[in-house]
Amino acid sequence: MAAQAQGATERKSAAGDASAIVDAASTVLRAYKMDTLADVAAAKLARDRQARTVVVVGEVQRGKSSLVNALVGQRDLCPVGVEVTSSTAVSVTVDSALDVDETAELFFPSGTSRTTPVDELAQWVTTDGAHVRDPQADELPTSAAVAVRTARVSDMTMVDTPGVGGLDVGLAKLATQSAQQACVLVLVCDASSPLTAPEMEFVREASSTVDSVIVVVTKTDKNLRRWREIVAENERLLTREIGRPFPVFGVSSLLASLSTELADPAEQERLEHESGIATLRSELTRRLDAAAELPEADAVRTCLEGLKVLRSKISRELDAVQAGAKALPDLTAERDRLTELQEQAREWEQYLARDLTLLRQQAVDGLERRLDDVRDKWTLYVNKHGMQVLRRSEQKFTADMLTDLQLAMAQTLAEFLQRLHDTVVAPRFTDDPAVWEELSSQIVESMQDKQIETHQVASKRHGLLDPTLLTMGVVGSSTLGGIIGLGALGIPVVVGAVWVGVNLGFRAIRAGKANLLTWLRETIGATKAATGRLLESAVAQARPEIVIRYRNYLRENIETLQNTINEVQKAAQSDSASRDKTVTRLTSNLEVVDKRIASAEKYLAQVKR
C-alpha cells in the first residue's frame, strides 16, 4: 500500500510538472499569436486519462479466467471450471458508484446490450452455456463487461479473452499502445511444461508492437516441485529466441482465491503473497503507472513542436537584423514567392481537389485488397475445417469476422489520414503543427454518423469497456491511434453500419456453407460501401478546411515577412544603439524560448525512461 501511495504521489508530481511546462510554453506561444497551438496543447492536457487495460491471452485451459478472478480478488466472477471454456471476451472494471456489488452487461453485434446477473454470465459466454447452445437464439453476445464495486485492483480494466480457437496472435492488437492507451499484454501458460512453439511465436509477434508483455505461469500449486524450474526455463527460452528478457511470474490462482475467504487480514495477505498474485498485481500497476503520463507527454510534445517553430522564426529575424541590408533580397524574394502562391489560389485549389481524389482512390484500392484477404481467409478456413468447427463456437468466429472487417476499415482510414498528412498537409504547412492537430480531429468527427448508436454509448456511463471494440482505438498507424484516443466513441460508432450484417453471421453459420459464403460476400460489399462513404465524408471535410487554412497561413506568413523586412530596413537606417537594442530584445526572447524548449525536452526524456 505504501508503494502504491508513493506511485500515486509521483504520478501527481509528474502531471503537475507537465501542467507547469504547458502553461509556461503557452504563455510564450500566445505572445507570438500561436493561440491555436496553445489551445490544442491545453485540450490534450485536460482530456480524460487514457484507458488502463490488462489483456489476458493464452491457449485453452491455461487458467486465464481464474487468473483474472484472482487479480480482482473475487473467486467466481468470470466463469471457471474444468470443462468451462470462454467463447467470448469478458472485461472486468471497478466502478465504486455501482448500486449493487456487481453487474454484467452483454454486448450483441446488432448494437444492443442487456444486463444480466453475474452468476448467469456463464450461460452466455462459455461454449457449453445454455443460451450459447440454444439453436433458436437469433444472436449471441460477442463480448461482455462486468463491473464490480470493490476489487483488489483499481483504475484498470482486466480483459479475459476467449479460450477457443487457439492462441490468435491477432489478439495482440488489443494491447497495441497508442497515444491514449496504456496496456499490458499477459500471456498465460501453465507449470506443466515450458513455453510451446505457438506461445513463443505469439510473444515474438506481440512484442514487436506491444511495449509491455508479461508471461505468467499458472497452476504452481499443482506443480510444486517443478514450477520454479519452468519459470527459469521460460526466461532462458525467451531471452535466447527473441533476444531480450521478458518477465515471467509464477502464480497460483487457487491459493489467491482461497485467500479471499479468510477472515484474518494478515493471513489473507500472507496467502496472497505466497500465491504470487500480489507480486503480479504490483507489477501490472507499476507498468500501467509508467505509461500514465502519456496524455501529459502528448501535450508537452505539442508545445515543444510549436516552440521549435517559434525559435526558427525568432532566429531568422535576429539573423536578418544582424545582417542588415544584406538580408533584404532573400526576405523580399520569400515574400514575393508566398504572394505569388496567394495569387494562384484557383490553380492550387484545383491541385488540391486532384490530390484528395487520388488519396481517396488509393484508400479504396487498399480497402479492396484487405477485404479480399478477409474473404480468402474465411473461405479457406471453411473449406479446410468445415462448418462443424465454426458451429462449435459461433460467438467466437462471428466476433473474429467482425474484428477482421473493423480492422480493414480502421487500417484503410489510418492509411488515408497518414497520406493526407504526408502528401497534402505537411508540405503546405511546414511550420504550423497545429493545423494537422485540428484538421485530423475534425475529419474523424465528420466520419461519425450521428444516426448510428452502439452499446458503447450506454456502457460509457458505467465505465465499462467493450474489449472487442478496444481494437478500434489502438490499431492502425500511430496517427489514427492518437486521433481516436481523443474520444471513446470514434471509429466504433462509425462502423455501426456493419453491425447488422455481422449479426446475421450467426444465422449464416447455422444455415450452411453456401449461405455463409454468400453472407460473407454481401457483408464485405456493405463494408466497402460504408468505408467509401466515410472517405467521401473525410474528403468533403478536408477540402474547404485546407483551403481556408492555407489562405490564412499564406496571409499570416506574408505579414510576418513584411514586418521583418520593415524591421530590417528600420534597423539599417538607425544608429548602432537602436540596432543593439533590437538585437538584445530578440536575443532575450530567444533565450526564453530555449529555456522552455529545454524544460519540455527534459520532461519528455524522463517520461521515455
Side-chain angles (χ1 to χ4, degrees):
M1 295 300 291
Q4 291 182 359
Q6 180 181 355
T9 301
E10 291 174 352
R11 293 195 301 276
K12 185 175 180 180
S13 175
D17 290 344
S19 180
I21 291 169
V22 171
D23 288 345
S26 296
T27 300
V28 175
L29 293 172
R30 294 187 191 281
Y32 279 85
K33 298 182 180 180
M34 299 178 70
D35 298 276
T36 300
L37 192 64
D39 290 341
V40 169
K44 288 183 175 182
L45 192 65
R47 68 192 173 204
D48 291 339
R49 228 171 132 207
Q50 80 281 13
R52 293 159 57 88
T53 308
V54 176
V55 182
V56 181
V57 300
E59 296 273 17
V60 65
Q61 295 297 326
R62 289 295 195 268
K64 297 187 295 295
S65 299
S66 296
L67 178 64
V68 170
N69 290 345
L71 287 166
V72 174
Q74 297 196 29
R75 187 170 186 174
D76 299 317
L77 201 60
C78 294
V80 296
V82 177
E83 301 299 328
V84 173
T85 301
S86 301
S87 57
T88 190
V90 178
S91 68
V92 181
T93 305
V94 181
D95 183 358
S96 58
L98 278 180
D99 296 331
V100 294
D101 289 337
E102 56 193 32
T103 184
E105 192 170 1
L106 306 171
F107 302 125
F108 296 87
S110 60
T112 61
S113 64
R114 181 186 308 174
T115 301
T116 186
V118 171
D119 56 9
E120 293 183 14
L121 193 61
Q123 306 307 318
W124 290 100
V125 301
T126 62
T127 53
D128 290 327
H131 298 294
V132 175
R133 295 171 61 87
D134 182 3
Q136 303 303 316
D138 287 334
E139 65 173 343
L140 294 171
T142 47
S143 63
V146 176
V148 295
R149 188 157 53 188
T150 60
R152 297 302 298 270
V153 293
S154 61
D155 199 21
M156 71 176 72
T157 294
M158 312 287 300
V159 181
D160 179 16
T161 58
V164 296
L167 186 58
D168 182 5
V169 74
L171 290 172
K173 293 184 175 69
L174 286 169
T176 300
Q177 201 170 51
S178 77
Q180 293 303 301
Q181 198 72 38
C183 290
V184 179
L185 183 65
V186 176
L187 172 64
V188 178
C189 52
D190 62 37
S192 61
S193 63
L195 287 166
T196 64
E199 289 169 337
M200 187 68 70
E201 184 61 25
F202 180 88
V203 175
R204 186 193 312 278
E205 292 291 329
S207 61
S208 66
T209 55
V210 181
D211 288 339
S212 203
V213 179
I214 291 176
V215 176
V216 174
V217 176
T218 59
K219 306 178 183 179
T220 58
D221 53 281
K222 295 182 179 180
N223 297 273
L224 294 175
R225 294 184 177 180
R226 290 199 58 208
W227 73 264
R228 289 181 178 82
E229 295 177 10
I230 296 297
V231 166
E233 179 63 16
N234 285 342
E235 290 175 338
R236 286 193 294 270
L237 286 172
L238 289 165
T239 302
R240 185 185 71 193
E241 297 297 325
I242 301 180
R244 62 186 178 92
F246 287 84
V248 182
F249 295 86
V251 303
S252 168
S253 300
L254 177 61
L255 288 180
S257 296
L258 290 174
S259 72
T260 63
E261 301 175 0
L262 298 176
D264 184 355
E267 191 65 17
Q268 185 182 68
E269 186 173 352
R270 182 194 65 78
L271 197 56
E272 272 221 331
H273 278 281
E274 185 178 324
S275 71
I277 285 293
T279 302
L280 175 60
R281 193 183 290 134
S282 296
E283 177 66 12
L284 294 174
T285 300
R286 185 190 69 80
R287 286 173 176 259
L288 291 172
D289 288 347
E293 294 110 348
L294 288 174
E296 289 84 2
D298 196 18
V300 172
R301 194 173 292 110
T302 296
C303 286
L304 179 60
E305 291 175 359
L307 290 169
K308 287 181 176 180
V309 169
L310 180 55
R311 188 190 194 286
S312 178
K313 290 181 178 179
I314 297 175
S315 295
R316 217 164 37 234
E317 185 178 355
L318 178 59
D319 291 342
V321 170
Q322 290 175 326
K326 295 179 181 179
L328 287 175
D330 289 340
L331 292 171
T332 304
E334 177 64 11
R335 181 200 60 190
D336 293 344
R337 185 186 70 83
L338 294 177
T339 302
E340 185 178 356
L341 287 175
Q342 192 178 45
E343 292 171 351
Q344 295 173 348
R346 180 170 297 181
E347 183 177 348
W348 69 256
E349 286 178 24
Q350 290 176 346
Y351 283 131
L352 174 63
R354 177 204 63 188
D355 292 344
L356 291 176
T357 300
L358 179 60
L359 289 181
R360 181 190 178 281
Q361 187 55 51
Q362 289 174 337
V364 169
D365 292 343
L367 174 67
E368 289 180 346
R369 290 192 298 271
R370 293 184 180 94
L371 292 178
D372 285 345
D373 290 342
V374 173
R375 182 197 62 220
D376 293 344
K377 168 187 173 180
W378 287 104
T379 301
L380 178 63
Y381 192 95
V382 170
N383 290 334
K384 181 178 179 180
H385 298 282
M387 293 299 296
Q388 286 302 115
V389 173
L390 269 66
R391 287 171 180 155
R392 287 175 196 156
S393 186
E394 296 161 347
Q395 281 175 292
K396 169 67 165 55
F397 293 113
T398 300
D400 286 349
M401 292 175 188
L402 168 64
T403 298
D404 285 345
L405 294 171
Q406 289 180 327
L407 288 177
M409 296 181 80
Q411 290 166 349
T412 298
L413 297 176
E415 185 177 77
F416 171 81
L417 290 170
Q418 190 66 58
R419 286 177 174 168
L420 177 63
H421 173 269
D422 294 344
T423 64
V424 175
V425 177
R428 284 184 170 91
F429 304 94
T430 54
D431 56 357
D432 194 346
V435 170
W436 177 245
E437 295 277 3
E438 285 196 311
L439 180 63
S440 56
S441 298
Q442 290 177 356
I443 290 174
V444 170
E445 180 71 22
S446 75
M447 290 179 181
Q448 298 187 26
D449 183 350
K450 300 302 187 294
Q451 301 303 313
I452 299 172
E453 292 188 0
T454 73
H455 54 265
Q456 189 79 345
V457 177
S459 66
K460 189 181 178 185
R461 293 198 307 268
H462 304 294
L464 303 183
L465 172 70
D466 176 359
T468 61
L469 291 187
L470 181 61
T471 53
M472 303 310 300
V474 295
V475 298
S477 72
S478 59
T479 300
L480 185 63
I483 292 169
I484 296 176
L486 295 175
L489 302 183
I491 294 300
V493 177
V494 170
V495 300
V498 187
W499 285 92
V500 175
V502 176
N503 181 37
L504 297 177
F506 286 111
R507 301 176 190 174
I509 289 175
R510 292 170 177 173
K513 178 179 176 180
N515 283 282
L516 175 61
L517 296 180
T518 298
W519 166 84
L520 186 60
R521 182 175 63 252
E522 293 175 351
T523 303
I524 285 175
T527 305
K528 179 181 176 181
T531 310
R533 289 193 295 271
L534 296 179
L535 291 169
E536 289 173 0
S537 174
V539 169
Q541 177 72 28
R543 184 178 176 182
E545 288 290 336
I546 292 174
V547 168
I548 293 171
R549 290 171 185 275
Y550 192 51
R551 287 174 181 169
N552 292 337
Y553 174 81
L554 290 174
R555 176 178 53 78
E556 291 170 0
N557 276 272
I558 290 171
E559 290 177 356
T560 299
L561 277 170
Q562 187 59 57
N563 290 335
T564 302
I565 290 172
N566 294 340
E567 191 75 31
V568 170
Q569 290 174 333
K570 181 179 177 181
Q573 297 170 2
S574 62
D575 54 32
S576 59
S578 297
R579 285 196 301 272
D580 290 344
K581 184 177 180 180
T582 301
V583 169
T584 299
R585 174 177 58 83
L586 293 173
T587 302
S588 176
N589 291 347
L590 199 60
E591 289 174 353
V592 171
V593 172
D594 283 341
K595 184 178 180 181
R596 301 291 180 263
I597 289 175
S599 296
E601 289 180 337
K602 181 180 178 181
Y603 173 85
L604 292 174
Q606 290 173 339
V607 170
K608 189 174 182 180
R609 290 204 305 269

